Amino acid sequence: MSTTVKAYAAKEPTSLLAPFQIQRRAPGPEDVQIQILYCGVCHSDLHTARNEWKNTLYPSVPGHEIVGRVVAVGNQVRGFKVGDLAGVGCMVDSCGHCPSCAEGEEQYCENGFTGTYNGPVFGGENTHGGYSQAIVVKESFVLRIRHDLKELAAVAPLLCAGITTYSPLRHWQAGPGKKVGIVGLGGLGHMGVKIAHAMGAHVTLFTTSPGKVADGLRLGADEVCISKDPEQMAARASQFDFILNTVAAPHDLDAFLNLLKRDGTMCLVGAPESPHPSPQVFSLIFKRRSLAGSLIGGIRETQEMLDFCADHGLVSDIEMIRMDEINTAYERMLKSDVKYRFVIDMASLAD
Ligand code: NAP
Ligand code: ZN
């Protein structure tokens, strides 16, 4: 039998998130039922709740940085038992047989993965995310958590911010001898700094916020550049092997492309509501530079990232909020006023 659980939803693009009830299916043979303890707040949640990408299905229950405790498992589940800690990220299903799925890159599923919220990417029934008390997910999309229980809330953001930065940093081989730039110190950016540093790269943080310089260095950057200062930018021209751009708003990409060496790459992970005003083709052709993009990461790589973070003692820097503080949290996120990820204490939903 399905169960009714408490959640928070946006009913339309302009409405505040408010209490809502959803149904969760009874766990099938391959399913894991998780009591959600904490859920991180990703900027994608805000883009979706407000229909900024023009594809939101309402009512919308966001949340794809989910951690909690297993409370039931189907009879074919082998990797989890009741009482285990578990995580769920941005996807809960994919076709399982296309070339991308076969290579463990379910996020690029050619038939469209099913998002933890907002349903299958190529259309279909809505799904409801982690701003809720419980979720039922098939085992192959559930992640194991090796961190200590006391760190659990700070592990939640790894499920999106962690993998979205880890995957491109691995793909473009950030490591010793590489000069890597991270643009934007928000939820994604602060994990990018920590992970790139742990991989052994030389890390430069680019921020628009002078007040974040000390934090950038504390989090693992070797140096911090104020990206609004043309002199600081000019001093770094043509130096970088790889730049990971996490900015959630349209901005001048040429300013960063010009920092790449010959054959360097800038990868965009930020997904603004409207297009960037650049690049100029000349920023690319004179040094055979590449502009690329990357979407979250596959399940196997998400597990690899969680294990990497456990091995290196990495978690997110978080500010815990109650579920009923979510609307204020969104406004603060828009002002870049979050250090560096809001995480919802789901116990507050029971009150
Ligand atoms: P966030 O916490 O709001 O961080 C974004 C950061 O970008 C801010 O902290 C700020 O850093 C910088 N920024 C914001 N507005 C800016 C502007 N107008 N000009 C320059 N810099 C600006 O957001 P997030 O959760 O990290 O997400 C970032 C973006 O990635 C969002 O668009 C989100 O939807 C997207 N995303 C993509 C994927 C993917 O798979 N590709 C996955 C998750 C999220 P400073 O103060 O340091 O300048
Ligand atoms: Zn996200």
Side-chain angles (χ1 to χ4, degrees):
M1 237 189 17
S2 68
T3 46
T4 304
V5 303
K6 289 185 181 177
Y8 252 59
K11 298 244 171 77
E12 53 187 17
T14 53
S15 68
L16 295 175
L17 273 78
F20 185 64
Q21 293 203 328
I22 57 172
Q23 296 296 313
R24 292 301 191 192
R25 66 174 183 264
E30 298 175 2
D31 283 339
V32 177
Q33 183 173 3
I34 298 165
Q35 178 199 358
I36 300 175
L37 298 176
Y38 303 103
C39 183
V41 178
C42 179
H43 207 113
S44 303
D45 300 353
L46 186 159
H47 290 306
T48 302
R50 299 186 177 179
N51 197 25
E52 291 182 351
W53 294 330
K54 309 284 179 268
N55 67 347
T56 304
L57 305 169
Y58 290 96
S60 173
V61 177
H64 57 204
E65 293 183 339
I66 297 169
V67 292
R69 202 173 278 291
V70 174
V71 290
V73 295
N75 60 16
Q76 288 170 26
V77 171
R78 294 290 169 263
F80 293 90
K81 58 182 188 323
V82 171
D84 285 350
L85 298 178
V88 178
C90 303
M91 301 179 283
V92 290
D93 207 355
S94 70
C95 86
H97 53 74
C98 73
S100 293
C101 286
E103 288 173 32
E105 304 270 21
E106 299 89 353
Q107 74 280 28
Y108 304 117
C109 174
E110 279 133 64
N111 299 302
F113 69 83
T114 301
T116 302
Y117 58 79
N118 214 42
V121 293
F122 298 152
E125 228 172 85
N126 202 0
T127 47
H128 292 311
Y131 298 4
S132 61
Q133 293 177 306
I135 192 164
V136 178
V137 178
K138 72 180 189 189
E139 179 183 10
S140 51
F141 283 80
V142 180
L143 287 308
R144 288 182 308 282
I145 291 171
R146 279 182 18 210
H147 288 79
D148 280 354
L149 178 61
K150 61 177 174 2
E151 296 178 309
L152 191 63
V155 170
L158 302 182
L159 275 306
C160 176
I163 184 59
T164 302
T165 49
Y166 181 92
S167 182
L169 286 167
R170 264 276 176 272
H171 186 78
W172 278 280
Q173 298 170 344
K178 292 284 181 72
K179 243 187 128 168
V180 169
I182 304 288
V183 187
L185 195 67
L188 266 55
H190 94 292
M191 287 314 308
V193 168
K194 289 186 187 207
I195 292 170
H197 174 73
M199 288 175 173
H202 181 279
V203 181
T204 304
L205 167 68
F206 293 90
T207 178
T208 60
S209 308
K212 295 181 182 174
V213 173
D215 275 348
L217 296 171
R218 174 181 60 81
L219 295 167
D222 294 284
E223 56 164 17
V224 180
C225 172
I226 304 299
S227 53
K228 287 187 293 198
D229 179 343
E231 272 181 36
Q232 289 191 37
M233 293 293 275
R236 291 173 174 79
S238 306
Q239 290 184 4
F240 287 82
D241 297 285
F242 180 64
I243 296 178
L244 183 63
N245 187 326
T246 74
V247 173
H251 61 285
D252 174 21
L253 300 184
D254 292 320
F256 296 103
L257 287 169
N258 289 328
L259 307 184
L260 294 171
K261 287 179 181 167
R262 174 173 59 80
D263 290 326
T265 298
M266 176 158 78
C267 174
L268 305 180
V269 286
E273 178 179 8
S274 48
H276 294 295
S278 48
Q280 294 278 334
V281 72
F282 293 103
S283 305
L284 298 169
I285 60 180
F286 273 92
K287 288 190 185 292
R288 198 165 54 191
R289 295 167 171 139
S290 300
L291 180 61
S294 182
L295 181 70
I296 48 175
I299 296 298
R300 188 168 61 214
E301 194 173 42
T302 304
Q303 188 63 60
E304 179 187 304
M305 175 278 308
L306 283 168
D307 295 342
F308 176 91
C309 289
D311 290 342
H312 288 82
L314 300 184
V315 291
S316 183
D317 283 31
I318 64 163
E319 178 177 338
M320 193 93 84
I321 58 167
R322 292 171 49 85
M323 187 70 255
D324 59 14
E325 293 173 316
I326 188 66
N327 294 300
T328 320
Y330 278 4
E331 291 310 315
R332 284 185 51 198
M333 186 157 62
L334 283 173
K335 289 189 244 156
S336 301
D337 174 24
V338 46
K339 290 184 171 176
Y340 278 91
R341 197 55 136 189
F342 291 115
V343 171
I344 305 159
D345 181 357
M346 220 42 80
S348 65
L349 197 49
D351 300 350

